[in-house]
Amino acid sequence: MRHSSKLLFWVAMAAQAAPVDWIWSARYVVAMDARRQVIENGAVAIRGNQIVDVGPRDGIDKAYQPKQRLDRPDAILTPGLINTHTHAAMSLFRGVADDLRLQEWLEKFIFPAEARNVDQEFVRWGTRLACLEMALSGITTYTDMYYFEDTVAAATKEAGLRGMLGQTIIGFPAPDYKTPQAALAGAERFLKAFANDPLIVPAVAPHAIYTNSDETLKAARALADRYRKPLVIHLAETKTENDDSLAKRKMTPTAALDAMGVLSGWTVAAHGVWLNDADLKIIKARGTGLSHNPSSNMKLASGVAPVVKILGLGIPMGLGTDGVAGSNNDHDIMREIDLAAKLQKVTTGDPRALPAEQAFAMATILGARALRMETLIGSIQKGKLADIITISLNEPHAVPMYNVYSQLAHALHGSDVADVMVNGRLIVRDRKMLTLDAPAVMAKAAEYQERVKKSLR
Ligand SMILES: [Zn+2]
């Protein structure tokens, strides 16, 4: 009798519990919501591509009946990480030329290597390699600027990642389009083709102010606005860019772009190293999102972005890995969190600068704000898209743990990421990529290495 009444109780409970596709639970859920909730023994319920609830595990387990579940008592569950600036396909050039100035690096190595090697298949395999690396280190959304962006989009969807993907417009013959006019027309086809895609936000990506004519830059802005899509661009990356603009235009790159109207609208600008107070005023007024790339800025000796000042003004700034050809050379955003914080401390002379929680926010909710996607991603909240990851604490460098943000910012690595879900789809489980054939992608990378080496002889 006792047995059957217990059974009846559970049948009744199950009937009350709402059906969901997944429950994920973990030792800590770090929500990155406005209240910065950290829920010990927390859980997240997911239906379709949405988060339907988050809270203590007991409550979630009572309220929902999942089809599948993933329990990680030795892990932290966080929002998926956001990489706000990269050139994914350049992964096949990883480390091809190090220890050079940006202009020399670009002109002597990168542009020739691209001219000789980059075609649609190169972009397909390079993007697959980058997506594999990014997914395995917890990145669920990334912003890209490259050539053959429709192929980047196809590879990104194959991997199951989310992307704000920008078709490059540049003032010299590129691997995909020989003129800026052709690139603009190609970008328009790209915007149309991916206008309503669940994973892809197509974008227009004029490379920079110094590689495009003013007419092209204005046309890029007009095109992005016509389709209500973002414009992504490199901005104020080096002192040379800044000095050249001052010499030629008597204006900083930011002021010059603003005078052309290029910053009026949905814009994501990478680097923002050489920004003066007037530039910051413009960026704040225009609602431009910024991407901070500490590894790249350090490796190319570009300078240090005034991150503390930028965030203090309420300008949203996320983190980026940039291309890995010679300016990083990996896609581990966990490393960028650590470097961003330490770089601000050492340059301001203040160890309180960019505290761990704020540095981690740059890789999540602030990154989402920089992309103007904060209503969709960047935190674990009811109604947001189900982009979540687990990070294992079952490692010597992860214990003991007195403060979860300190661990996330300064002790854990991308390689500690165990599981990744994007848009409600599990794409990494137990450090295994479920969507891409990892051995095949890595074999192709070795093949391309030989090809690229020969081409540079
Ligand atoms: Zn870049």
Side-chain angles (χ1 to χ4, degrees):
M1 275 310 280
R2 263 191 82 211
H3 182 78
S4 68
S5 67
K6 204 169 182 182
L7 188 72
L8 276 174
F9 170 77
W10 284 111
V11 168
M13 281 302 293
Q16 276 175 10
V20 289
D21 293 306
W22 282 97
I23 286 178
W24 281 29
S25 73
R27 178 71 201 278
Y28 296 96
V29 172
V30 175
M32 299 312 287
D33 56 350
R35 286 192 294 145
R36 293 286 191 268
Q37 283 192 89
V38 176
I39 306 159
E40 193 166 355
N41 298 317
V44 181
I46 296 129
R47 188 182 299 125
N49 66 348
Q50 278 194 341
I51 294 165
V52 294
D53 209 348
V54 53
R57 182 180 166 171
D58 287 355
I60 298 286
D61 281 352
K62 281 193 191 104
Y64 301 97
Q65 182 65 39
K67 282 189 194 136
Q68 299 183 77
R69 58 181 309 140
L70 187 87
D71 297 304
R72 294 281 186 221
D74 289 325
I76 308 177
L77 198 163
T78 76
L81 306 179
I82 299 173
N83 182 0
T84 53
H85 179 63
T86 191
H87 314 279
M90 289 181 85
S91 293
L92 290 175
F93 292 131
R94 189 190 316 270
V96 72
D98 282 329
D99 312 325
L100 295 165
R101 286 193 187 281
L102 177 69
Q103 291 311 323
E104 194 185 4
W105 176 77
L106 277 175
E107 283 156 25
K108 283 198 185 149
F109 292 91
I110 296 306
F111 290 150
E114 285 183 334
R116 288 167 211 162
N117 293 286
V118 176
D119 58 15
Q120 202 176 0
E121 281 314 290
F122 180 100
V123 167
R124 191 183 312 282
W125 286 102
T127 305
R128 281 175 177 157
L129 178 63
C131 286
L132 182 60
E133 185 186 353
M134 287 194 279
L136 287 172
S137 59
I139 294 166
T140 53
T141 296
Y142 77 104
T143 303
D144 194 65
M145 301 172 72
Y146 211 57
Y147 309 109
F148 299 104
E149 208 64 28
D150 50 346
T151 303
V152 175
T156 303
K157 285 171 69 70
E158 213 180 278
L161 287 181
R162 197 180 297 289
M164 175 180 283
L165 307 179
Q167 168 63 45
T168 291
I169 320 281
I170 199 159
F172 55 75
D176 52 355
Y177 298 111
K178 299 306 155 201
T179 64
Q181 292 72 31
L184 282 162
E188 180 160 13
R189 286 192 296 277
F190 175 60
L191 295 186
K192 275 188 194 159
F194 290 89
N196 298 306
D197 194 275
L199 289 174
I200 308 299
V201 177
V204 186
H207 173 268
I209 190 171
Y210 59 91
T211 45
N212 281 293
S213 71
D214 294 7
E215 294 68 51
T216 302
L217 290 162
K218 286 181 204 162
R221 175 79 270 166
L223 176 60
D225 290 351
R226 201 149 63 241
Y227 289 86
R228 295 184 185 173
K229 298 298 181 194
L231 178 146
V232 297
I233 190 165
H234 292 101
L235 176 65
E237 179 175 3
T238 63
K239 187 165 188 300
T240 308
E241 174 187 344
N242 199 52
D243 291 350
D244 287 355
S245 177
L246 286 171
K248 188 178 148 194
R249 304 167 182 272
K250 310 264 174 287
M251 278 190 279
T252 63
T254 303
L257 285 171
D258 190 51
M260 286 178 231
V262 173
L263 300 180
S264 300
W266 186 4
T267 309
V268 180
H271 298 298
V273 173
W274 294 87
L275 298 171
N276 63 27
D277 288 349
D279 294 335
L280 290 173
K281 225 177 197 174
I282 293 170
I283 283 168
K284 168 93 180 161
R286 302 291 171 256
T288 303
L290 294 178
S291 172
H292 177 44
N293 298 248
S295 283
S296 172
N297 297 160
M298 288 165 84
K299 194 153 181 300
L300 298 172
S302 303
V304 181
V307 176
V308 171
K309 202 181 220 182
I310 287 167
L311 296 180
L313 288 167
I315 296 167
M317 189 176 219
L319 294 172
T321 58
D322 208 351
V324 305
S327 56
N328 194 315
N329 301 345
D330 64 32
H331 287 297
D332 184 352
I333 213 80
M334 297 285 283
R335 203 199 294 239
E336 303 302 318
I337 299 169
D338 178 60
L339 284 174
K342 288 174 178 165
L343 194 51
Q344 291 305 304
K345 295 175 196 305
V346 74
T347 51
T348 59
D350 183 355
R352 295 168 302 177
L354 200 57
E357 181 192 312
Q358 203 180 17
F360 187 67
M362 290 181 80
T364 52
I365 188 65
L366 283 174
R369 276 186 59 209
L371 305 185
R372 291 198 191 173
M373 291 176 74
E374 72 274 20
T375 59
L376 303 171
I377 58 172
S379 61
I380 302 180
Q381 285 176 269
K382 197 175 164 176
K384 280 206 176 179
L385 295 170
D387 291 7
I388 56 175
I389 64 173
T390 69
I391 307 172
S392 174
L393 293 171
N394 202 15
E395 297 291 339
H397 61 264
V399 291
M401 186 170 80
Y402 300 103
N403 180 297
V404 71
Y405 294 112
S406 165
Q407 219 81 343
L408 286 165
H410 300 304
L412 296 166
H413 313 305
S415 53
D416 296 319
V417 169
D419 314 287
V420 178
M421 172 178 275
V422 182
N423 212 37
R425 179 186 184 195
L426 184 65
I427 67 164
V428 174
R429 181 164 200 158
D430 273 323
R431 297 211 44 73
K432 293 273 174 304
M433 188 83 182
L434 304 176
T435 50
L436 294 174
D437 180 351
V441 172
M442 288 169 70
K444 269 284 174 191
E447 241 179 69
Y448 273 104
Q449 176 190 322
E450 291 311 309
R451 205 183 293 182
V452 169
K453 254 203 238 163
K454 269 184 208 146
S455 79
L456 288 174
R457 246 173 235 159

